[in-house]
Amino acid sequence: ETGVTQSPTHLIKTRGQQVTLRCSSQSGHNTVSWYQQALGQGPQFIFQYYREEENGRGNFPPRFSGLQFPNYSSELNVNALELDDSALYLCASSQKAGGFTDTQYFGPGTRLTVL
Amino acid sequence: AQSVTQPDIHITVSEGASLELRCNYSYGATPYLFWYVQSPGQGLQLLLKYFSGDTLVQGIKGFEAEFKRSQSSFNLRKPSVHWSDAAEYFCAVGPPTGGFKTIFGAGTRLFVKA
């Protein structure tokens, strides 16, 4: 059983650019959540995808968008990057069934730096 | 408003000493409760979770946590700390239906001195 993987590990972008981060969920999991963790803070929920549809969203602007694919892997896209977008982006996968979502398992994260 | 408070930004403990990390939450109902550990530059590893039942929960790496409904607390404990326990610890809450939007505290950084 493979765990949650994320790519790339690190990324440097300039303000105004666009970025795509990728996540492969743990085997058997159908739900992916994305979190932003700014330096010195706890993770903040961005959104969740369940069976290729957005299933909930936190307080992030529309320039944060995502996709989930039939194999349950996921992408996080951020447009018009701002300096404050610099953070560790964490992906977490879980299994949702019957309206219940089991424990989330986190990937190692992608460190995004916006200059 | 739903929130998680970890009152201690950082704690220093001698190796072999006991540890208690505090966590208080504000939630409309009894949530699901979690403790995660994060080593520098790494993702989050689940230490333990509480959904219901026995209020004393055992986790990995010798950690345990106690849920106290009356105090809205879920404190993490370890009887004897090892140098490898130095890391950031996050308390988190999730909705009782196990849905999305897990809310994390700001974390407590644990330093272990020899």
Side-chain angles (χ1 to χ4, degrees):
Chain A
E1 180 181 282
T2 58
V4 180
T5 60
Q6 293 186 242
S7 63
T9 306
H10 296 88
L11 205 49
I12 299 175
K13 293 285 189 178
T14 57
R15 197 169 45 182
Q17 285 189 311
Q18 178 266 341
V19 68
T20 298
L21 310 182
R22 295 178 176 82
C23 170
S24 292
S25 58
Q26 186 165 309
S27 177
H29 286 181
N30 57 14
T31 302
V32 173
S33 302
W34 286 92
Y35 292 82
Q36 180 195 66
Q37 185 179 16
L39 201 59
Q41 297 182 25
Q44 296 218 349
F45 175 76
I46 302 175
F47 45 56
Q48 183 183 84
Y49 277 82
Y50 168 62
R51 292 188 173 181
E52 304 178 57
E53 303 230 344
E54 188 178 291
N55 187 45
R57 191 178 183 92
N59 296 326
F60 281 81
R63 59 189 185 85
F64 285 78
S65 64
L67 282 173
Q68 187 180 32
F69 300 99
N71 66 354
Y72 302 130
S73 65
S74 176
E75 287 183 354
L76 164 65
N77 299 290
V78 187
N79 294 322
L81 283 167
E82 301 177 0
L83 297 180
D84 286 348
D85 296 332
S86 295
L88 181 68
Y89 288 84
L90 296 166
C91 165
S93 78
S94 54
Q95 178 63 18
K96 179 173 180 172
F100 173 80
T101 303
D102 203 349
T103 304
Q104 297 178 99
Y105 293 89
F106 285 80
T110 293
R111 173 70 63 187
L112 172 64
T113 302
V114 181
L115 303 176
Chain B
Q2 300 165 350
S3 65
V4 177
T5 301
Q6 293 181 248
D8 303 305
I9 296 173
H10 55 78
I11 282 182
T12 301
V13 174
S14 297
E15 191 169 17
S18 64
L19 170 71
E20 182 168 26
L21 302 182
R22 297 183 291 164
C23 172
N24 293 95
Y25 65 90
S26 174
Y27 211 85
T30 300
Y32 288 173
L33 296 154
F34 308 88
W35 275 99
Y36 288 88
V37 61
Q38 185 177 39
S39 297
Q42 301 298 311
L44 300 171
Q45 182 183 22
L46 179 69
L47 287 175
L48 48 77
K49 60 188 178 186
Y50 173 78
F51 286 171
S52 65
D54 191 347
T55 57
L56 187 62
V57 181
Q58 301 298 319
I60 63 171
K61 303 185 178 186
F63 286 93
E64 66 177 26
E66 184 171 13
F67 168 60
K68 292 186 177 180
R69 185 190 305 273
S70 61
Q71 298 176 19
S72 296
S73 70
F74 189 56
N75 294 349
L76 182 71
R77 301 193 293 245
K78 186 169 185 178
S80 178
V81 168
H82 188 262
W83 64 266
S84 60
D85 293 325
E88 186 101 26
Y89 291 81
F90 293 95
C91 180
V93 300
T97 55
F100 56 86
K101 201 174 182 181
T102 302
I103 300 170
F104 286 82
T108 297
R109 169 74 66 181
L110 173 64
F111 297 95
V112 180
K113 60 183 182 182

